[in-house]
Amino acid sequence: MVAARITVNGEEAPLSPAAPHTTVLDFLRERGLTGTKEGCAEGECGACSVLVARPGVNKPTDWVAVNACLVPVAALDGQEIVTSEGLATAGAPGTPPALHPVQEEMAVRGGSQCGYCTPGFVCSMAAEYYRPDRCAHADADAGSDAEHGPNGFDLHALSGNLCRCTGYRPIRDAAFAVGAPAEEDPLARRRDQAPPAPVATEYAQDDSVFLRKATLAETLLLLRERPDAVVVAGSTDWGVEVNIRSRRAGCVVAVDRLPELRQLRVASDSIEIGAALTLTEIERRLDGDVPLLAELFPQFASRLIRNGATLGGNLGTGSPIGDSPPALLALDASVLLADADGEREVPLADYFTGYRQSVRRPGELIRAVRVPLPLAPVVAFHKIAKRRFDDISSVAVAFALDVEDGIVRRARIGLGGVAATPIRALATEAALEGRPWTAETVEAVAPLLRDEGTPMDDHRASAAYRSAMLGRSLLKLYTRTTEAVSS
Ligand SMILES: Cc1cc2nc3c(=O)[nH]c(=O)nc-3n(C[C@H](O)[C@H](O)[C@H](O)COP(=O)(O)OP(=O)(O)OC[C@H]3O[C@@H](n4cnc5c(N)ncnc54)[C@H](O)[C@@H]3O)c2cc1C
Ligand code: FES
Ligand code: FES
């Protein structure tokens, strides 16, 4: 096996002697690439953003921005990354490197004061700069939309980057001023070639090891042999455990590049979504075909987190405030669980058994999530949190209703944040089914929804607030559907 190595700004660097739990951020800074900053070490600030070459959605390769503080460097064995230092192109000997167009715009428009956040901003901005379909959405008249520039720039690309001193307007000005990449731009050209292939990795130092197998079958055999192993995909949860709670694992097994976990299959009766596709990949590949998920994605963390986070990881944590379970419960989804003996399908409604507990057995992986078709036409995802973006839910409610001839034929409602596990609002569903979709029905049924679950007081919200939000959410859905009909 070739010694583990990573290509940073075009140069190969061996991983050794970094410990297997070393983050990309610490690895870079140890090598003197101190442009990449640590602000929070838990994925909240974006100061550590770097670009990774990943399989593309519209081109062979996409430059994807991720939080370097969360990803173990061993997970990028054989991969290519670019840091803020690598964005600038080297000039003639003795002359300073030329600024990258996003760096240039940040400088001339006053997008940087103390500069601590700036390398992270320019990496996130560069990823959006290189998004292949950005320029196709460019429209000189679209400047009135506060979140999309006339150059097609989607400001949500920066939703995971915080700045404490500049204020965001000059940063937005810079983002909305960048043009199209020049033809000879090496990073733009890189998109036309295949992304680095995943490589099998066995990276051991002292008494811990990071392992990546080439296939699902090999991974499942490994998990049978090593029941102590910690499975990681995007590492957006695991990275926080390592940094903030100092958790260490003797054996980490990566599943994020397994081809069997990265497929999206659309059949006549279902859509199967691979557990290791990132949320950004799912969002871009579905392109609105599952409207409830299309509503969920922008409310899930930030673009930086969604570029790493997977559905397998979101279900794998078993968190009662994970955002995908309420939506997947409303979609009547099931989970495909694989181990060395085969595969089984479990309805998501039967998957969670207690606080962070599930029916998943040791050695079992989530291979995919299956969403049955056809989809219910009336859907909504309401996330109640303290901030509009990049925040954890206090309460999440997902609706999927079949309303035919004004009657609710079928109702599925998924809830998060109101019990030890994500749950279905069974009493509310039963009360809605067969009744007319009217203000009277909504008024009669809302108290039932308010009383679903067993919400608790915690630092995010009180139990009373959570219950009140549940009741209001049905009204909000009704108002939105009737407004849509009357407009
Ligand atoms: C700043 C920040 C903001 C966040 N915001 C949100 C938010 O708004 N909403 C939300 O729901 N979550 C949020 N999260 C949590 C996290 O991003 C999600 O839970 C994400 O989906 C985890 O996916 P991952 O691939 O990164 O998981 P990892 O960290 O790689 O793994 C998480 C767990 O899942 C297990 N696992 C991973 N893949 C599989 C698999 N295929 N089969 C079995 N087990 C598996 C792992 O063993 C591990 O226990 C946030 C996290 C951060 C750091
Ligand atoms: S250091 Fe804050 S997101 Fe990584
Ligand atoms: S310029 Fe100081 S934090 Fe952004």
Side-chain angles (χ1 to χ4, degrees), residues 42-45 67 70 229-240 247 255-256 261 275-276 279 296 299-302 305-306 308-319 321-325 337 351 360 364-368 383 390-393:
E42 54 179 326
E44 301 272 2
C45 74
N67 299 99
L70 298 179
V230 168
V231 167
V232 296
S235 205
T236 61
D237 274 315
W238 175 245
V240 176
R247 279 195 56 197
V255 299
D256 56 317
L261 270 64
L279 300 188
L296 157 70
Q299 301 181 63
F300 190 118
S302 61
I305 293 289
R306 295 200 294 279
T310 63
L311 282 187
N314 205 226
L315 298 175
T317 61
S319 166
I321 49 169
D323 282 327
S324 74
L337 295 169
Y351 176 77
R360 190 161 58 86
E364 246 181 347
L365 277 183
I366 303 169
R367 185 184 64 75
K383 173 166 173 167
D390 200 6
D391 203 358
I392 304 286
S393 292

Short mmCIF file of all heavy atoms in Angstrom, two decimals, residues 42-45 67 70 229-240 247 255-256 261 275-276 279 296 299-302 305-306 308-319 321-325 337 351 360 364-368 383 390-393, ligand 1:
data_model
loop_
_atom_site.label_atom_id
_atom_site.label_comp_id
_atom_site.label_asym_id
_atom_site.label_seq_id
_atom_site.Cartn_x
_atom_site.Cartn_y
_atom_site.Cartn_z
N GLU A 42 -15.41 23.75 15.80
CA GLU A 42 -16.62 22.92 15.80
C GLU A 42 -17.55 23.23 14.63
O GLU A 42 -18.76 23.07 14.74
CB GLU A 42 -17.34 22.98 17.15
CG GLU A 42 -17.68 24.35 17.64
CD GLU A 42 -18.42 24.30 18.97
OE1 GLU A 42 -19.19 23.36 19.19
OE2 GLU A 42 -18.22 25.21 19.79
N GLY A 43 -16.99 23.71 13.54
CA GLY A 43 -17.79 23.84 12.32
C GLY A 43 -18.71 25.03 12.26
O GLY A 43 -19.55 25.13 11.37
N GLU A 44 -18.56 25.98 13.21
CA GLU A 44 -19.53 27.08 13.29
C GLU A 44 -19.08 28.35 12.59
O GLU A 44 -19.91 29.20 12.28
CB GLU A 44 -19.77 27.44 14.77
CG GLU A 44 -20.32 26.32 15.62
CD GLU A 44 -21.83 26.26 15.60
OE1 GLU A 44 -22.45 27.05 14.90
OE2 GLU A 44 -22.38 25.39 16.31
N CYS A 45 -17.76 28.55 12.39
CA CYS A 45 -17.31 29.89 11.98
C CYS A 45 -16.74 29.95 10.56
O CYS A 45 -16.68 31.03 9.97
CB CYS A 45 -16.28 30.43 12.97
SG CYS A 45 -14.65 29.65 12.82
N ASN A 67 -15.13 22.36 6.14
CA ASN A 67 -14.51 22.83 7.39
C ASN A 67 -13.30 21.95 7.69
O ASN A 67 -13.45 20.79 8.09
CB ASN A 67 -15.49 22.72 8.56
CG ASN A 67 -16.74 23.54 8.36
OD1 ASN A 67 -17.77 23.03 7.96
ND2 ASN A 67 -16.64 24.82 8.65
N LEU A 70 -12.95 19.86 11.04
CA LEU A 70 -13.75 18.68 11.37
C LEU A 70 -13.25 17.42 10.69
O LEU A 70 -13.52 16.31 11.15
CB LEU A 70 -15.22 18.92 10.98
CG LEU A 70 -15.93 20.06 11.69
CD1 LEU A 70 -17.36 20.20 11.18
CD2 LEU A 70 -15.93 19.87 13.20
N ALA A 229 -14.80 -0.38 16.22
CA ALA A 229 -14.48 0.69 15.26
C ALA A 229 -15.53 1.80 15.29
O ALA A 229 -16.71 1.55 15.49
CB ALA A 229 -14.40 0.11 13.85
N VAL A 230 -15.06 3.03 15.09
CA VAL A 230 -15.98 4.16 14.90
C VAL A 230 -16.09 4.41 13.39
O VAL A 230 -15.07 4.57 12.71
CB VAL A 230 -15.44 5.44 15.59
CG1 VAL A 230 -16.24 6.67 15.15
CG2 VAL A 230 -15.51 5.28 17.10
N VAL A 231 -17.32 4.39 12.89
CA VAL A 231 -17.56 4.65 11.47
C VAL A 231 -17.63 6.16 11.26
O VAL A 231 -18.25 6.86 12.06
CB VAL A 231 -18.90 4.00 11.05
CG1 VAL A 231 -19.36 4.49 9.69
CG2 VAL A 231 -18.78 2.48 11.07
N VAL A 232 -16.97 6.68 10.23
CA VAL A 232 -17.15 8.10 9.90
C VAL A 232 -17.49 8.27 8.43
O VAL A 232 -17.00 7.54 7.58
CB VAL A 232 -15.93 9.01 10.22
CG1 VAL A 232 -15.63 9.06 11.70
CG2 VAL A 232 -14.72 8.66 9.41
N ALA A 233 -18.33 9.27 8.17
CA ALA A 233 -18.65 9.66 6.79
C ALA A 233 -18.09 11.07 6.62
O ALA A 233 -16.88 11.25 6.46
CB ALA A 233 -20.14 9.55 6.55
N GLY A 234 -18.93 12.09 6.71
CA GLY A 234 -18.43 13.46 6.53
C GLY A 234 -17.71 14.02 7.74
O GLY A 234 -17.09 15.08 7.69
N SER A 235 -17.84 13.34 8.88
CA SER A 235 -17.15 13.72 10.11
C SER A 235 -17.63 15.06 10.70
O SER A 235 -16.94 15.65 11.52
CB SER A 235 -15.63 13.78 9.85
OG SER A 235 -14.94 13.57 11.02
N THR A 236 -18.81 15.52 10.30
CA THR A 236 -19.27 16.79 10.86
C THR A 236 -19.80 16.63 12.28
O THR A 236 -19.87 17.60 13.03
CB THR A 236 -20.36 17.46 9.97
OG1 THR A 236 -21.48 16.59 9.89
CG2 THR A 236 -19.84 17.76 8.58
N ASP A 237 -20.19 15.41 12.66
CA ASP A 237 -20.49 15.13 14.06
C ASP A 237 -19.26 14.59 14.78
O ASP A 237 -18.91 15.05 15.86
CB ASP A 237 -21.63 14.09 14.19
CG ASP A 237 -23.00 14.73 14.13
OD1 ASP A 237 -23.20 15.76 14.79
OD2 ASP A 237 -23.87 14.22 13.41
N TRP A 238 -18.59 13.64 14.15
CA TRP A 238 -17.44 13.00 14.79
C TRP A 238 -16.33 14.02 15.05
O TRP A 238 -15.67 14.01 16.09
CB TRP A 238 -16.95 11.83 13.94
CG TRP A 238 -15.69 11.21 14.47
CD1 TRP A 238 -14.47 11.19 13.86
CD2 TRP A 238 -15.52 10.54 15.73
NE1 TRP A 238 -13.56 10.56 14.66
CE2 TRP A 238 -14.17 10.14 15.81
CE3 TRP A 238 -16.37 10.24 16.79
CZ2 TRP A 238 -13.65 9.47 16.91
CZ3 TRP A 238 -15.85 9.56 17.89
CH2 TRP A 238 -14.50 9.18 17.95
N GLY A 239 -16.12 14.94 14.12
CA GLY A 239 -15.06 15.95 14.28
C GLY A 239 -15.29 16.81 15.52
O GLY A 239 -14.34 17.18 16.23
N VAL A 240 -16.55 17.12 15.83
CA VAL A 240 -16.86 17.90 17.03
C VAL A 240 -16.54 17.07 18.28
O VAL A 240 -15.98 17.56 19.26
CB VAL A 240 -18.36 18.34 17.02
CG1 VAL A 240 -18.71 19.06 18.31
CG2 VAL A 240 -18.63 19.22 15.82
N ARG A 247 -12.72 13.04 22.26
CA ARG A 247 -12.91 11.60 22.06
C ARG A 247 -11.85 11.06 21.11
O ARG A 247 -11.46 11.73 20.14
CB ARG A 247 -14.30 11.31 21.50
CG ARG A 247 -15.33 11.32 22.62
CD ARG A 247 -16.64 10.71 22.20
NE ARG A 247 -16.52 9.35 21.70
CZ ARG A 247 -17.47 8.74 20.98
NH1 ARG A 247 -18.58 9.38 20.70
NH2 ARG A 247 -17.30 7.51 20.55
N VAL A 255 -16.42 5.55 5.52
CA VAL A 255 -17.37 4.97 4.56
C VAL A 255 -17.81 5.99 3.50
O VAL A 255 -18.60 5.66 2.62
CB VAL A 255 -18.64 4.41 5.28
CG1 VAL A 255 -18.26 3.31 6.26
CG2 VAL A 255 -19.42 5.51 6.00
N ASP A 256 -17.25 7.20 3.57
CA ASP A 256 -17.78 8.28 2.74
C ASP A 256 -17.52 8.13 1.25
O ASP A 256 -18.20 8.75 0.45
CB ASP A 256 -17.26 9.64 3.22
CG ASP A 256 -15.75 9.71 3.26
OD1 ASP A 256 -15.13 8.73 3.72
OD2 ASP A 256 -15.18 10.72 2.83
N LEU A 261 -22.52 3.24 -1.36
CA LEU A 261 -23.26 4.16 -0.49
C LEU A 261 -23.43 5.53 -1.16
O LEU A 261 -23.89 6.48 -0.53
CB LEU A 261 -22.52 4.36 0.85
CG LEU A 261 -22.85 3.40 2.00
CD1 LEU A 261 -22.46 1.98 1.65
CD2 LEU A 261 -22.18 3.82 3.29
N ALA A 275 -26.43 6.53 1.47
CA ALA A 275 -26.19 7.09 2.80
C ALA A 275 -24.96 7.98 2.85
O ALA A 275 -24.82 8.81 3.74
CB ALA A 275 -26.04 5.96 3.82
N ALA A 276 -24.02 7.82 1.90
CA ALA A 276 -22.78 8.61 1.96
C ALA A 276 -22.75 9.74 0.93
O ALA A 276 -21.71 10.39 0.78
CB ALA A 276 -21.56 7.70 1.78
N LEU A 279 -25.21 16.12 1.63
CA LEU A 279 -26.50 16.80 1.46
C LEU A 279 -26.46 17.73 0.26
O LEU A 279 -27.45 17.88 -0.46
CB LEU A 279 -26.87 17.57 2.73
CG LEU A 279 -27.01 16.72 4.01
CD1 LEU A 279 -27.57 17.55 5.14
CD2 LEU A 279 -27.88 15.49 3.78
N LEU A 296 -36.04 21.37 3.17
CA LEU A 296 -35.19 21.07 4.32
C LEU A 296 -33.75 21.56 4.11
O LEU A 296 -33.18 22.20 5.01
CB LEU A 296 -35.18 19.55 4.56
CG LEU A 296 -33.99 18.96 5.32
CD1 LEU A 296 -34.03 19.37 6.79
CD2 LEU A 296 -33.97 17.44 5.23
N GLN A 299 -32.18 24.83 5.21
CA GLN A 299 -32.30 25.11 6.65
C GLN A 299 -31.38 24.23 7.48
O GLN A 299 -31.34 24.33 8.70
CB GLN A 299 -33.75 24.87 7.10
CG GLN A 299 -34.75 25.75 6.35
CD GLN A 299 -36.17 25.51 6.83
OE1 GLN A 299 -36.48 25.76 7.99
NE2 GLN A 299 -37.04 25.04 5.96
N PHE A 300 -30.67 23.32 6.83
CA PHE A 300 -29.81 22.38 7.52
C PHE A 300 -28.41 22.98 7.57
O PHE A 300 -27.74 23.09 6.55
CB PHE A 300 -29.81 21.05 6.75
CG PHE A 300 -29.15 19.90 7.47
CD1 PHE A 300 -29.87 18.78 7.82
CD2 PHE A 300 -27.80 19.93 7.78
CE1 PHE A 300 -29.27 17.71 8.46
CE2 PHE A 300 -27.19 18.87 8.42
CZ PHE A 300 -27.92 17.76 8.76
N ALA A 301 -27.99 23.40 8.76
CA ALA A 301 -26.62 23.89 8.98
C ALA A 301 -26.26 24.95 7.92
O ALA A 301 -27.06 25.83 7.60
CB ALA A 301 -25.64 22.74 8.98
N SER A 302 -25.03 24.87 7.42
CA SER A 302 -24.54 25.84 6.43
C SER A 302 -24.09 25.07 5.20
O SER A 302 -23.98 23.84 5.22
CB SER A 302 -23.31 26.54 7.01
OG SER A 302 -22.30 25.57 7.27
N ILE A 305 -21.12 22.84 6.02
CA ILE A 305 -21.46 21.58 6.69
C ILE A 305 -22.16 20.65 5.71
O ILE A 305 -21.84 19.45 5.63
CB ILE A 305 -22.36 21.84 7.93
CG1 ILE A 305 -21.57 22.60 9.02
CG2 ILE A 305 -22.94 20.54 8.48
CD1 ILE A 305 -20.50 21.79 9.73
N ARG A 306 -23.08 21.18 4.91
CA ARG A 306 -23.81 20.31 3.97
C ARG A 306 -22.87 19.70 2.93
O ARG A 306 -23.17 18.67 2.35
CB ARG A 306 -24.93 21.10 3.26
CG ARG A 306 -26.03 21.56 4.19
CD ARG A 306 -27.32 21.89 3.45
NE ARG A 306 -27.23 23.02 2.56
CZ ARG A 306 -27.31 24.30 2.90
NH1 ARG A 306 -27.45 24.62 4.18
NH2 ARG A 306 -27.24 25.26 1.98
N GLY A 308 -20.21 18.29 3.61
CA GLY A 308 -19.63 17.08 4.20
C GLY A 308 -20.69 16.16 4.77
O GLY A 308 -20.58 14.94 4.67
N ALA A 309 -21.74 16.75 5.35
CA ALA A 309 -22.74 15.96 6.09
C ALA A 309 -23.48 15.00 5.18
O ALA A 309 -23.80 15.32 4.03
CB ALA A 309 -23.74 16.91 6.75
N THR A 310 -23.80 13.82 5.72
CA THR A 310 -24.52 12.80 4.95
C THR A 310 -25.81 12.41 5.69
O THR A 310 -25.94 12.65 6.89
CB THR A 310 -23.65 11.54 4.82
OG1 THR A 310 -23.42 11.00 6.14
CG2 THR A 310 -22.31 11.83 4.16
N LEU A 311 -26.71 11.76 4.94
CA LEU A 311 -27.93 11.25 5.60
C LEU A 311 -27.59 10.10 6.53
O LEU A 311 -28.16 9.96 7.61
CB LEU A 311 -28.94 10.75 4.55
CG LEU A 311 -29.77 11.79 3.81
CD1 LEU A 311 -30.81 11.10 2.96
CD2 LEU A 311 -30.44 12.77 4.77
N GLY A 312 -26.61 9.25 6.11
CA GLY A 312 -26.18 8.14 6.97
C GLY A 312 -25.69 8.66 8.31
O GLY A 312 -26.00 8.10 9.36
N GLY A 313 -24.93 9.76 8.29
CA GLY A 313 -24.41 10.34 9.52
C GLY A 313 -25.53 10.95 10.36
O GLY A 313 -25.54 10.83 11.59
N ASN A 314 -26.48 11.59 9.70
CA ASN A 314 -27.58 12.23 10.44
C ASN A 314 -28.45 11.19 11.14
O ASN A 314 -28.86 11.38 12.29
CB ASN A 314 -28.40 13.10 9.48
CG ASN A 314 -29.15 14.23 10.18
OD1 ASN A 314 -30.32 14.45 9.93
ND2 ASN A 314 -28.50 14.95 11.08
N LEU A 315 -28.70 10.07 10.47
CA LEU A 315 -29.47 8.99 11.11
C LEU A 315 -28.58 8.21 12.07
O LEU A 315 -29.05 7.72 13.10
CB LEU A 315 -30.05 8.05 10.05
CG LEU A 315 -31.04 8.69 9.07
CD1 LEU A 315 -31.44 7.70 7.99
CD2 LEU A 315 -32.28 9.20 9.80
N GLY A 316 -27.29 8.11 11.72
CA GLY A 316 -26.36 7.34 12.53
C GLY A 316 -26.18 7.91 13.93
O GLY A 316 -25.98 7.17 14.88
N THR A 317 -26.26 9.23 14.06
CA THR A 317 -26.11 9.83 15.39
C THR A 317 -27.34 9.55 16.25
O THR A 317 -27.27 9.57 17.47
CB THR A 317 -25.96 11.37 15.34
OG1 THR A 317 -27.14 11.88 14.75
CG2 THR A 317 -24.76 11.81 14.54
N GLY A 318 -28.48 9.34 15.60
CA GLY A 318 -29.72 9.08 16.34
C GLY A 318 -30.17 10.27 17.17
O GLY A 318 -30.93 10.12 18.12
N SER A 319 -29.73 11.46 16.80
CA SER A 319 -30.09 12.63 17.61
C SER A 319 -31.57 12.96 17.49
O SER A 319 -32.13 12.92 16.39
CB SER A 319 -29.27 13.84 17.13
OG SER A 319 -29.81 15.03 17.66
N ILE A 321 -32.79 15.76 17.65
CA ILE A 321 -32.98 17.06 16.97
C ILE A 321 -32.31 17.08 15.60
O ILE A 321 -32.12 18.14 15.02
CB ILE A 321 -32.48 18.24 17.84
CG1 ILE A 321 -31.08 17.96 18.37
CG2 ILE A 321 -33.47 18.55 18.95
CD1 ILE A 321 -30.42 19.16 18.99
N GLY A 322 -31.97 15.92 15.07
CA GLY A 322 -31.49 15.86 13.69
C GLY A 322 -32.61 16.33 12.77
O GLY A 322 -33.79 16.04 13.02
N ASP A 323 -32.26 17.02 11.70
CA ASP A 323 -33.30 17.59 10.85
C ASP A 323 -33.83 16.65 9.78
O ASP A 323 -34.95 16.82 9.32
CB ASP A 323 -32.78 18.87 10.18
CG ASP A 323 -32.79 20.04 11.14
OD1 ASP A 323 -33.68 20.08 12.02
OD2 ASP A 323 -31.90 20.90 11.04
N SER A 324 -33.02 15.68 9.35
CA SER A 324 -33.54 14.82 8.28
C SER A 324 -34.61 13.84 8.78
O SER A 324 -35.55 13.56 8.03
CB SER A 324 -32.41 14.09 7.54
OG SER A 324 -31.89 13.05 8.32
N PRO A 325 -34.52 13.30 10.03
CA PRO A 325 -35.54 12.32 10.40
C PRO A 325 -36.99 12.83 10.32
O PRO A 325 -37.84 12.10 9.77
CB PRO A 325 -35.15 11.92 11.83
CG PRO A 325 -33.68 12.12 11.87
CD PRO A 325 -33.44 13.34 11.03
N LEU A 337 -30.34 -1.33 5.77
CA LEU A 337 -29.22 -1.63 6.67
C LEU A 337 -28.47 -2.84 6.13
O LEU A 337 -29.10 -3.88 5.83
CB LEU A 337 -29.75 -1.94 8.07
CG LEU A 337 -30.45 -0.78 8.78
CD1 LEU A 337 -31.17 -1.27 10.04
CD2 LEU A 337 -29.43 0.29 9.16
N TYR A 351 -37.27 2.65 13.34
CA TYR A 351 -35.80 2.60 13.43
C TYR A 351 -35.29 3.06 14.80
O TYR A 351 -34.44 2.43 15.41
CB TYR A 351 -35.22 3.47 12.30
CG TYR A 351 -33.72 3.59 12.32
CD1 TYR A 351 -32.91 2.55 11.87
CD2 TYR A 351 -33.10 4.75 12.79
CE1 TYR A 351 -31.52 2.65 11.90
CE2 TYR A 351 -31.72 4.87 12.83
CZ TYR A 351 -30.94 3.81 12.37
OH TYR A 351 -29.57 3.92 12.41
N ARG A 360 -30.30 -0.54 14.68
CA ARG A 360 -29.07 -0.89 13.95
C ARG A 360 -28.16 -1.71 14.84
O ARG A 360 -27.84 -1.32 15.96
CB ARG A 360 -28.36 0.39 13.48
CG ARG A 360 -27.22 0.14 12.53
CD ARG A 360 -26.88 1.41 11.77
NE ARG A 360 -26.53 2.50 12.66
CZ ARG A 360 -25.32 2.72 13.14
NH1 ARG A 360 -24.32 1.91 12.82
NH2 ARG A 360 -25.09 3.75 13.94
N GLU A 364 -23.49 -3.19 11.52
CA GLU A 364 -24.41 -2.83 10.44
C GLU A 364 -24.19 -1.38 10.01
O GLU A 364 -23.96 -0.51 10.86
CB GLU A 364 -25.86 -2.97 10.92
CG GLU A 364 -26.62 -4.06 10.23
CD GLU A 364 -28.07 -4.17 10.71
OE1 GLU A 364 -28.44 -3.58 11.75
OE2 GLU A 364 -28.82 -4.87 10.05
N LEU A 365 -24.28 -1.18 8.70
CA LEU A 365 -24.16 0.18 8.15
C LEU A 365 -25.47 0.59 7.52
O LEU A 365 -26.20 -0.27 6.99
CB LEU A 365 -23.12 0.20 7.03
CG LEU A 365 -21.65 0.33 7.36
CD1 LEU A 365 -20.86 0.39 6.06
CD2 LEU A 365 -21.40 1.59 8.18
N ILE A 366 -25.75 1.87 7.54
CA ILE A 366 -26.87 2.37 6.74
C ILE A 366 -26.33 2.49 5.31
O ILE A 366 -25.37 3.21 5.07
CB ILE A 366 -27.35 3.74 7.25
CG1 ILE A 366 -27.74 3.65 8.72
CG2 ILE A 366 -28.51 4.27 6.39
CD1 ILE A 366 -27.97 4.99 9.39
N ARG A 367 -26.92 1.72 4.39
CA ARG A 367 -26.44 1.80 3.00
C ARG A 367 -27.18 2.90 2.24
O ARG A 367 -26.60 3.63 1.46
CB ARG A 367 -26.62 0.47 2.27
CG ARG A 367 -26.01 0.52 0.87
CD ARG A 367 -26.22 -0.72 0.07
NE ARG A 367 -27.60 -1.05 -0.25
CZ ARG A 367 -28.34 -0.43 -1.17
NH1 ARG A 367 -27.84 0.59 -1.85
NH2 ARG A 367 -29.59 -0.78 -1.40
N ALA A 368 -28.48 3.00 2.49
CA ALA A 368 -29.28 3.98 1.74
C ALA A 368 -30.58 4.25 2.47
O ALA A 368 -30.93 3.55 3.44
CB ALA A 368 -29.57 3.46 0.33
N LYS A 383 -38.63 24.61 10.55
CA LYS A 383 -37.56 24.47 11.54
C LYS A 383 -37.60 25.69 12.45
O LYS A 383 -37.45 26.82 11.98
CB LYS A 383 -36.21 24.37 10.82
CG LYS A 383 -35.01 24.40 11.77
CD LYS A 383 -33.74 23.96 11.05
CE LYS A 383 -32.52 24.14 11.92
NZ LYS A 383 -31.33 23.46 11.38
N ASP A 390 -27.96 28.10 9.75
CA ASP A 390 -26.83 27.58 10.50
C ASP A 390 -27.12 27.51 12.00
O ASP A 390 -26.38 28.03 12.82
CB ASP A 390 -25.59 28.44 10.24
CG ASP A 390 -24.32 27.67 10.59
OD1 ASP A 390 -24.42 26.48 10.90
OD2 ASP A 390 -23.23 28.28 10.57
N ASP A 391 -28.23 26.88 12.34
CA ASP A 391 -28.55 26.70 13.76
C ASP A 391 -29.18 25.33 13.96
O ASP A 391 -29.66 24.71 13.01
CB ASP A 391 -29.52 27.80 14.23
CG ASP A 391 -29.44 28.01 15.74
OD1 ASP A 391 -28.68 27.29 16.40
OD2 ASP A 391 -30.15 28.90 16.24
N ILE A 392 -29.16 24.88 15.20
CA ILE A 392 -29.75 23.59 15.55
C ILE A 392 -31.22 23.82 15.88
O ILE A 392 -31.57 24.82 16.50
CB ILE A 392 -29.01 23.00 16.79
CG1 ILE A 392 -27.51 22.90 16.52
CG2 ILE A 392 -29.60 21.68 17.23
CD1 ILE A 392 -27.07 21.82 15.60
N SER A 393 -32.07 22.87 15.50
CA SER A 393 -33.52 23.02 15.73
C SER A 393 -33.86 23.00 17.21
O SER A 393 -33.32 22.19 17.97
CB SER A 393 -34.27 21.83 15.11
OG SER A 393 -34.20 21.86 13.73
C1 LIG B 1 -21.83 23.57 12.87
C2 LIG B 1 -22.75 22.39 12.75
C3 LIG B 1 -24.06 22.59 12.39
C4 LIG B 1 -24.94 21.51 12.30
N1 LIG B 1 -26.24 21.75 11.96
C5 LIG B 1 -27.08 20.72 11.86
C6 LIG B 1 -28.44 20.97 11.49
O1 LIG B 1 -28.85 22.09 11.22
N2 LIG B 1 -29.28 19.89 11.46
C7 LIG B 1 -28.86 18.63 11.75
O2 LIG B 1 -29.65 17.69 11.70
N3 LIG B 1 -27.57 18.36 12.07
C8 LIG B 1 -26.68 19.38 12.12
N4 LIG B 1 -25.37 19.13 12.45
C9 LIG B 1 -24.95 17.75 12.73
C10 LIG B 1 -24.29 17.00 11.54
O3 LIG B 1 -23.83 17.86 10.54
C11 LIG B 1 -25.26 16.01 10.92
O4 LIG B 1 -25.71 15.09 11.88
C12 LIG B 1 -24.69 15.25 9.72
O5 LIG B 1 -25.73 14.72 8.93
C13 LIG B 1 -23.74 14.14 10.11
O6 LIG B 1 -23.26 13.51 8.93
P1 LIG B 1 -21.74 13.10 8.78
O7 LIG B 1 -21.62 12.34 7.52
O8 LIG B 1 -20.86 14.27 8.92
O9 LIG B 1 -21.58 12.14 10.06
P2 LIG B 1 -20.27 11.67 10.83
O10 LIG B 1 -19.82 12.73 11.76
O11 LIG B 1 -19.27 11.12 9.88
O12 LIG B 1 -20.90 10.46 11.64
C14 LIG B 1 -21.89 10.70 12.62
C15 LIG B 1 -22.34 9.37 13.23
O13 LIG B 1 -23.05 8.60 12.29
C16 LIG B 1 -22.45 7.33 12.11
N5 LIG B 1 -22.53 7.02 10.67
C17 LIG B 1 -22.10 7.78 9.64
N6 LIG B 1 -22.41 7.19 8.46
C18 LIG B 1 -23.02 6.03 8.77
C19 LIG B 1 -23.58 4.98 7.99
N7 LIG B 1 -23.59 4.99 6.65
N8 LIG B 1 -24.13 3.93 8.64
C20 LIG B 1 -24.15 3.89 9.99
N9 LIG B 1 -23.65 4.86 10.77
C21 LIG B 1 -23.10 5.92 10.17
C22 LIG B 1 -21.04 7.47 12.62
O14 LIG B 1 -20.57 6.26 13.12
C23 LIG B 1 -21.18 8.51 13.71
O15 LIG B 1 -21.58 7.90 14.90
C24 LIG B 1 -24.47 20.19 12.53
C25 LIG B 1 -23.12 19.98 12.86
C26 LIG B 1 -22.27 21.06 12.96
C27 LIG B 1 -20.84 20.82 13.29
#
